[in-house]
Amino acid sequence: ALAAWRFPDGGADAVFERWTRTRAREYGLTDEGQIGHATRQTLMLLQRFRRHSLFETMDRARRLHELPYTMAEGDRLALGQVDVLYQWEGRWHVVDFKTDRVHDRRILKQILAEKEYEAQVQRYARAVAELLGEIPVCSLCLLDYEGDVYEHPVAVEDMGS
């Protein structure tokens, strides 16, 4: 839904619900209970995001979704896809959305230590810097942080651009 920048019109949006159920099936879900759960979770997370200030900024910004990239990393070729690259007030921003359920800051620190989310976003920043000649502002957007949305800044070193 975020890649398509598609949001429900209201509380009981039948068209949006059909769309999310179809997408759940495309991702391999076949059990009606799982499909219903995925649809409800999607709706909840999107409604939560729409209340966050980042949504308003991104909604008004110039945006590119699911932006593919290829770049050299040592002796290999790295392929990836940036969730969102948007331009706001003259600066480029990279946002990577995460749906991990985070109950508190301790869990966030554990997730960041175990998963390579920040390193992933730093790769996105390098790819964007190679493409645009500018280091973007980067963040992780946690859609399920203590029952709310939390934008976690990701530090990016100077890449000599």
Side-chain angles (χ1 to χ4, degrees):
L2 290 168
W5 206 247
R6 186 164 183 169
F7 297 89
D9 288 332
D13 185 340
V15 172
F16 183 80
E17 182 177 342
R18 278 195 309 276
W19 182 80
T20 57
R21 294 179 72 78
T22 299
R23 295 293 296 163
R25 286 185 190 93
E26 289 172 2
Y27 281 101
L29 296 181
T30 57
D31 178 76
E32 282 303 315
Q34 290 178 329
I35 291 170
H37 177 74
T39 298
R40 289 186 300 279
Q41 282 292 107
T42 299
L43 182 61
M44 178 194 66
L45 295 174
L46 290 174
Q47 288 172 333
R48 188 180 285 169
F49 178 57
R50 283 184 84 170
R51 291 190 302 266
H52 194 272
S53 61
L54 180 59
F55 168 79
E56 186 176 325
T57 299
M58 289 178 65
D59 195 46
R60 294 174 30 210
R62 177 178 169 197
R63 289 183 320 276
L64 300 167
H65 296 268
E66 301 295 317
L67 181 68
Y69 71 86
T70 305
M71 70 177 182
E73 281 191 341
D75 61 346
R76 67 182 191 90
L77 202 56
L79 306 171
Q81 201 169 50
V82 177
D83 280 358
V84 179
L85 174 66
Y86 74 92
Q87 189 177 38
W88 183 252
E89 296 181 343
R91 293 283 320 263
W92 287 100
H93 299 254
V94 168
V95 176
D96 195 38
F97 290 99
K98 299 298 178 192
T99 58
D100 302 68
R101 180 168 287 151
V102 181
H103 298 290
D104 57 39
R105 184 151 302 281
R106 182 183 57 79
I107 298 295
L108 175 60
K109 286 183 180 182
Q110 180 181 342
I111 287 170
L112 293 176
E114 291 173 0
K115 299 184 178 184
E116 296 197 3
Y117 290 161
E118 291 177 311
Q120 179 183 25
V121 171
Q122 290 165 350
R123 280 192 302 277
Y124 298 162
R126 284 193 301 277
V128 168
E130 282 184 22
L131 179 66
L132 301 176
E134 173 185 325
I135 299 170
V137 176
C138 296
S139 64
L140 292 168
C141 183
L142 301 154
L143 297 171
D144 199 0
Y145 182 86
E146 296 181 350
D148 206 350
V149 172
Y150 173 64
E151 189 178 7
H152 175 76
V154 176
V156 179
E157 75 277 356
D158 184 4
M159 298 168 202
S161 298

